Amino acid sequence: MTKEIHANIPEGDLKDKWSNYKAKAKLVNPNNRKKLEVIVVGTGLAGASAAASLAEMGYKVKSFCFQDSPRRAHSVAAQGGVNAMKNYKNDGDSVFRMFYDTLKGGDFRSREANTYRLAECSASLIDQAVAQGVPFGREYSGYLRNRSFGGVQVSRTFYARGQTGQQLLLGSYQALMRQKETGQVKLYARHEMLDLVTIDGKAKGIIARNLDTGEIERHGAHAVILATGGFGKIYYLSTLAMGCNASAIWRAHKKGALMANPSWTQIHPTSLPQSGEYQSKLTLMSESLRNDGRIWVPQDKNETRKPKDIPEEERDYYLERKYPAFGNLAPRDIASRSAKEQIDAGKGIGALKNAVYLDFSHAIKEYGQDVIEERYGNLFTMYEKITGINAYKEPMKISPSAHFSMGGLWVDYDLMTTTPGLFAIGEANFSDHGANRLGANSLLQACVDGYYIAPYTLQNYLADEIQVAKTDVNHPAFDEAEKQVKSQLEKFVNLKGNKTAEEFHRELGKILYDKCGLSRSEDGLKKAITDIQNLREEFHENLLVPGDVEDINSELEKAGRVSDYFELAELMCIDALRREESCGAHFREEFQTEEGEAMRNDAEYSYSAAWEWSGQASEPILNKEPLKFEYVKPTQRNYK
Amino acid sequence: MKIYLKIWRQKNKDTKGQLEDHTLDNVSAEMSFLEMLDMLNLKLAKSGERPVEFDHDCREGICGQCGVMINGIAHGPLKNTTTCQLHMRSFKDGDTIYIEPFKAKAFPVIRDLKVDRTGFDDIIAAGGYVSVNTGQAPEANSIPVTHNEAEAAFDSAACIGCGACVATCKNASAALFTSAKISQFTHLPQGKKESAKRTVDMVNRMEELDFGHCTNTEACQIECPQDISVLNIAKMNFEYNKAKLKK
């Protein structure tokens, strides 16, 4: 049986929808707010900003993160910048253009109203971050500086050297700590959410494990916000942190929330290539580098000369050649796929022939090394630390790597899932980026969801909960959830097989990257599904978790995450298989134009796939949210 | 490469720890230091032993969660490099490596190489922010900040909160960490109104916790992965005295 899903988009013209919503949304009297408790899981930009903002309003907030401090959430690693419509450059930017760029970048697979709101709220975010003391790059005059990012023709990206994510996150982390000091926020670091508790169909709390002691805890609330980020780590090799996981959203999904477009994963074009079997992650090099770096491969696939010895006419600057209008700043999906094309054609460079060059010699000649150093100094230093190579002297070697989950929990305009009282914000939801996210839009979405949307929409929900008593954590629903969590943990430890969670994860990641990564095909996906099922069966028989349940145990943490990945991985493949078109990052080999570009099928696939858990990982139920385009006409994306 | 490890094992903060010997064959020079520890943990798990608990997350030098003493040096031999960015090419075949947790009274050991750095969060909570609620901000360009001041603020704000400064200081002082945050705001017009209170509250909090005093040995900057300058400490002292005089 499929669920009724309603996006609840407000009435009115596109540009008035959010104003109309705010004008009519229900409010909670300041005196009543302190009676209402909200759980926020995750302390990245979305989670920390939501928790801080709600606490400032007067709600009682419990904030959870698995890291040892909220400041370490993976938003910290975003390098290049955050987009906002300020039009400080006077170069033709507007809210509509930013909305259009984002919608087009996402290959017309996102909701118009949500995407418009993202652009509309973007300017306030810059104001807020500046007021917090975020040290954005400045002109000598003292005004804010901008640069350009992929997929757009204006400069609307604000940045703090190559550490924009860190600086924005510290801003919201500090706001969170300020509220912790007042007692308005209770902080639970080193806690991992292991289940969502629902009572009469509403989200009422979570089961969390104290990672330092192994103790299982019950936490009740009037509403639960999941801000737990993306799950690109499912590919094992990715740009994500080692601890990034899907467990919170997946367990909420198994309790009834729908998962939307799970297979849409952004493969980032500029990460460092894999250099060996032992490798645990692929470090990202900011897309901002493509402002000044030129991407190329040698024309001859048997090339053996050093890059500087290869003359200009024997190099193929393939992005500039194929997409002259956008050149090296083509959107990420296109840049990644083009790199794959070159690598698959045998023109890859480096020992494993799995990379392409990103060359700064032209920019250094034009602007001087000091300018390049000021713009990207920390990135060049990072590159040298990892590879031992000085990129001022020779080109960087880069390659595509799993990065961002456009998919996530399905949410309506309020960012509420199909489970009342359960909200999903930031990368954990699916809402704004369609089938491909534009660079510097992820920090933006996380902040806008947390600072400006959740505080309004959550209040609209909580207004009806004022009369509802504090959640009783002795309710049978908590007993049941806790029992299940404990029995799963014990099962993992008692299996005593001979393969660790990490070994399984590596194998799973390889299957996904090969068959459900940059390009997908019916045969490949069907094979992947069988392989995942077999490996999952082996996982549940042959898993090795040393140590105990009631103790600090990193291996046990990994086991839970990998167990969820096994189920999600199959859903990703099913999602990719059922979508018989190409769009954005989802490239089905069977559906491409003569020039090898993604070919959408708007007549049949202009919808978001919202999957429902049926009790069986292999038999998910598909619900469709049709996408209606009233203000733009979907076209074939053209970056030429 | 063949690497000999002497690695700290400790069950919890109340028990005594000791160094344990392990040998790893086939360590590749391209591996990161933490990937070498992954290799050790896989070996331990397969032989039925408890893997070594160590902190890490982003593995690209920015989250600040990793950090161990490597041959007595916080984050190991390379300058301005976190443990996760250190690669085995910095060692040679046959080397013996001592690996110990960041040790400080204010950083109790949780297990093995994992320590509790909650004290840093507490120092920030005491005042390391501009008190601006969501929604109160004026238009961004109405607060101009010169290029140089913004860059100087950034230099201080770049701290990743790893705790290497505390671990390397003979007094286990948190002066570099605390001063970096205080100093960031001295460069900016935002939050000027609360600057005296911020400085005093943060310094007092630092002293209430188990961090020691700064005696200007300047070891902290040398081992800081972000090269946070000790001039921040001088700035903090100046701001602190100024705040006290105003009272």
Side-chain angles (χ1 to χ4, degrees), chain A residues 204-219:
Chain A
K204 287 290 179 182
I206 64 168
I207 302 292
R209 181 164 177 270
N210 178 330
L211 300 180
D212 282 346
T213 62
E215 206 180 319
I216 302 296
E217 299 173 4
R218 302 173 176 198
H219 296 275

Side-chain angles (χ1 to χ4, degrees), chain B residues 4-16:
Chain B
Y4 300 92
L5 299 173
K6 287 187 178 293
I7 194 160
W8 189 260
R9 302 303 301 261
Q10 183 172 341
K11 198 166 184 311
N12 56 47
K13 70 172 167 34
D14 302 319
T15 56
K16 271 193 147 179

